[in-house]
Amino acid sequence: MSDAFTAIAALNARYARCIDDGELAGWPEFFTERCLYKVTTAENYADGLEGAVIYADSRAMLVDRVSALGEANIFERHAYRHILGAPFVVGEDGDGTRSETSFVVVRIMRDGMTDVFASGRYVDVVRLDGGDAKLAERIVVCDSSRIDTLLALPL
Amino acid sequence: MSDAFTAIAALNARYARCIDDGELAGWPEFFTERCLYKVTTAENYADGLEGAVIYADSRAMLVDRVSALGEANIFERHAYRHILGAPFVVGEDGDGTRSETSFVVVRIMRDGMTDVFASGRYVDVVRLDGGDAKLAERIVVCDSSRIDTLLALPL
Amino acid sequence: MSDAFTAIAALNARYARCIDDGELAGWPEFFTERCLYKVTTAENYADGLEGAVIYADSRAMLVDRVSALGEANIFERHAYRHILGAPFVVGEDGDGTRSETSFVVVRIMRDGMTDVFASGRYVDVVRLDGGDAKLAERIVVCDSSRIDTLLALPL
């Protein structure tokens, strides 16, 4: 369990760095080929509702999404900074290691102003086999029900 | 020391998750039966003053507090998200392992607005014996001298 | 690599605590005698520009800086709280272990208001040999191009 803790903390640090540095082309590589990536709200998640702001169930869909962003980004010039808590390792089952990690994302506007953009938790299934940890599932549960629908960058 | 570091980081992740998920009934379980839980300000703490916004010296008192909150919460519908730094393990003595951890708590209002609600550090004595780490002391030292006196959820 | 991860996370926790507790006299001790400490912006860093808001290339310069702050601090009474992410260990070379860590700093004003003061990442070279990890380089890359020029405390 302590190994899983360290491996997932390191995976999360790489994941956040990839997005915050704008290296989005590398982002799909954090996922297994068949995967689940979803951005939803705490309210929908608690109610078991299916509605999601973003939904992808393969790495190929994530690649598509990132390509689309490449162009959109020209219009949106602000940066993000993810700060993640330590992972809470829930346990292991046939799918992989289940873990949850809190996040806060601050947004830095072009004029230098910084505010809290989003907060929530990642609900993950992580494949730790082999040297390279991968996300089989990452459900991004946002605390706020008001998610920016122009959400440009992945969370 | 590296084991203590990982054990306390994992304890803190579970602790924050318990509060942020609203599972308050489980919160007293993070403490030993005779314990110290105190919320105070940096100014009072530095001056060695006894005044505390919240004070409890047994797990039973924490249970009482949580029961009271169960009802109050009906009126207060906003969420919190704790982001904790890595623990700084100060050392060990007869009481347990002394450690400090920085925290920032953001508050998500009903309308979706998010702001920084509180920041500070936990000054802890942790009992690591046995599989299950427990808090013998958690003094919550808030940076701001203006603590919300309606403080509903534990920090 | 997992050892480096834990050692750097612990170093960062001590570093942040030193600044947030106002124990600035101890801050230069985190660096090797010949070192590089620089505060710059993401824009300058990406463009490879040399301009830096703060620049020091020896521990002695850091000691000087801290002495100057001791007096300036009388006029500036607000506190900071650093929250650091987990380190991303990039790799090792002849200089030491290269690592990057995200940070967000919140500022607590005298009247209790708290806002996000700065965010960015540390780009570090860490010497792990011996029991005591030291910074041979810490380049503080701020996300915002609007860094407070009155920047009193180190980041």
Side-chain angles (χ1 to χ4, degrees):
Chain A
M1 165 126 153
S2 165
D3 283 351
F5 178 83
T6 308
I8 296 171
L11 169 71
N12 281 338
R14 288 203 306 278
Y15 179 98
R17 178 183 187 258
C18 171
I19 299 172
D20 293 344
D21 276 12
E23 309 289 356
L24 292 183
W27 173 66
E29 294 301 314
F30 288 97
F31 294 84
T32 54
E33 257 186 72
R34 295 178 58 188
C35 61
L36 179 64
Y37 175 76
K38 224 165 88 167
V39 178
T40 188
T41 63
E43 217 164 283
N44 277 1
Y45 187 75
D47 294 346
L49 295 181
E50 280 301 315
V53 179
I54 296 173
Y55 179 95
D57 62 8
S58 71
R59 195 196 283 159
M61 282 180 70
L62 298 176
V63 171
D64 282 355
R65 185 163 173 84
V66 157
S67 313
L69 286 177
E71 291 147 39
N73 267 344
I74 301 166
F75 304 104
E76 299 258 3
R77 270 295 297 147
H78 42 239
Y80 295 83
R81 177 67 49 192
H82 288 67
I83 294 287
L84 309 183
F88 169 70
V89 180
V90 181
E92 263 183 83
D93 60 27
D95 295 329
T97 303
R98 294 188 178 271
S99 137
E100 295 190 13
T101 303
S102 284
F103 66 86
V104 165
V105 181
V106 301
R107 177 169 50 177
I108 303 94
M109 307 301 285
R110 202 79 185 95
D111 67 359
M113 289 297 297
T114 300
D115 62 2
V116 179
F117 173 65
S119 69
R121 63 192 155 118
Y122 297 135
V123 180
D124 297 332
V125 178
V126 187
R127 295 267 162 74
L128 293 171
D129 32 69
D132 206 21
K134 294 268 187 198
L135 294 164
E137 277 188 39
R138 169 150 288 182
I139 302 178
V140 183
V141 183
C142 295
D143 290 326
S144 173
S145 52
R146 202 180 65 177
I147 303 178
D148 193 336
T149 48
L150 293 169
L151 197 63
L153 292 175
L155 286 172
Chain B
M1 165 126 154
S2 166
D3 283 350
F5 178 82
T6 309
I8 296 171
L11 168 72
N12 281 338
R14 289 202 306 277
Y15 179 97
R17 177 181 187 259
C18 171
I19 299 173
D20 294 343
D21 278 12
E23 311 288 357
L24 292 183
W27 175 66
E29 293 301 314
F30 288 97
F31 293 84
T32 53
E33 257 186 71
R34 294 179 58 188
C35 61
L36 179 64
Y37 175 76
K38 222 164 92 168
V39 178
T40 187
T41 65
E43 217 164 283
N44 277 0
Y45 187 75
D47 293 346
L49 295 181
E50 280 301 315
V53 180
I54 296 173
Y55 180 94
D57 63 6
S58 71
R59 196 197 281 158
M61 281 181 71
L62 299 175
V63 171
D64 282 353
R65 185 165 173 84
V66 157
S67 313
L69 286 177
E71 292 144 41
N73 266 344
I74 300 167
F75 304 104
E76 297 258 3
R77 270 296 296 147
H78 43 240
Y80 294 83
R81 176 68 49 192
H82 288 66
I83 294 286
L84 309 184
F88 168 70
V89 180
V90 180
E92 262 181 86
D93 59 27
D95 294 328
T97 303
R98 296 189 176 269
S99 138
E100 296 191 12
T101 303
S102 283
F103 66 84
V104 166
V105 180
V106 300
R107 175 167 52 175
I108 303 96
M109 307 301 285
R110 201 80 186 95
D111 67 358
M113 290 298 296
T114 299
D115 62 2
V116 179
F117 173 65
S119 69
R121 63 193 154 117
Y122 296 136
V123 180
D124 296 332
V125 178
V126 188
R127 294 267 162 74
L128 293 171
D129 31 68
D132 206 22
K134 295 267 188 201
L135 294 164
E137 278 188 39
R138 168 149 289 182
I139 302 177
V140 183
V141 183
C142 295
D143 291 324
S144 173
S145 51
R146 201 179 65 179
I147 303 178
D148 194 336
T149 47
L150 293 168
L151 197 64
L153 292 176
L155 287 173
Chain C
M1 167 126 153
S2 165
D3 283 349
F5 177 83
T6 308
I8 296 170
L11 169 71
N12 281 338
R14 288 202 307 276
Y15 180 98
R17 177 181 187 259
C18 171
I19 299 172
D20 293 344
D21 277 14
E23 310 288 359
L24 292 182
W27 173 66
E29 293 301 314
F30 288 97
F31 294 84
T32 54
E33 256 187 68
R34 294 179 57 188
C35 61
L36 179 63
Y37 174 76
K38 220 165 91 168
V39 178
T40 187
T41 64
E43 217 163 281
N44 277 2
Y45 187 75
D47 293 347
L49 295 181
E50 280 302 314
V53 180
I54 297 173
Y55 179 95
D57 62 7
S58 71
R59 196 197 280 160
M61 281 180 70
L62 299 176
V63 171
D64 281 352
R65 186 164 172 83
V66 157
S67 314
L69 286 177
E71 291 145 41
N73 266 344
I74 300 166
F75 306 103
E76 299 258 3
R77 269 295 297 147
H78 42 241
Y80 294 83
R81 177 67 50 191
H82 287 68
I83 294 286
L84 309 184
F88 169 70
V89 181
V90 179
E92 263 181 85
D93 60 27
D95 294 328
T97 303
R98 295 190 177 269
S99 137
E100 295 190 13
T101 302
S102 284
F103 66 85
V104 166
V105 180
V106 301
R107 177 169 48 178
I108 303 94
M109 307 301 285
R110 202 78 187 95
D111 67 358
M113 289 297 297
T114 299
D115 62 2
V116 178
F117 173 66
S119 69
R121 62 192 155 115
Y122 296 136
V123 180
D124 296 332
V125 178
V126 188
R127 295 269 162 73
L128 293 171
D129 32 67
D132 206 21
K134 295 266 186 200
L135 294 164
E137 278 188 39
R138 169 150 287 183
I139 302 177
V140 183
V141 183
C142 295
D143 291 324
S144 173
S145 52
R146 202 179 62 178
I147 304 177
D148 195 335
T149 47
L150 293 169
L151 197 63
L153 291 176
L155 286 172

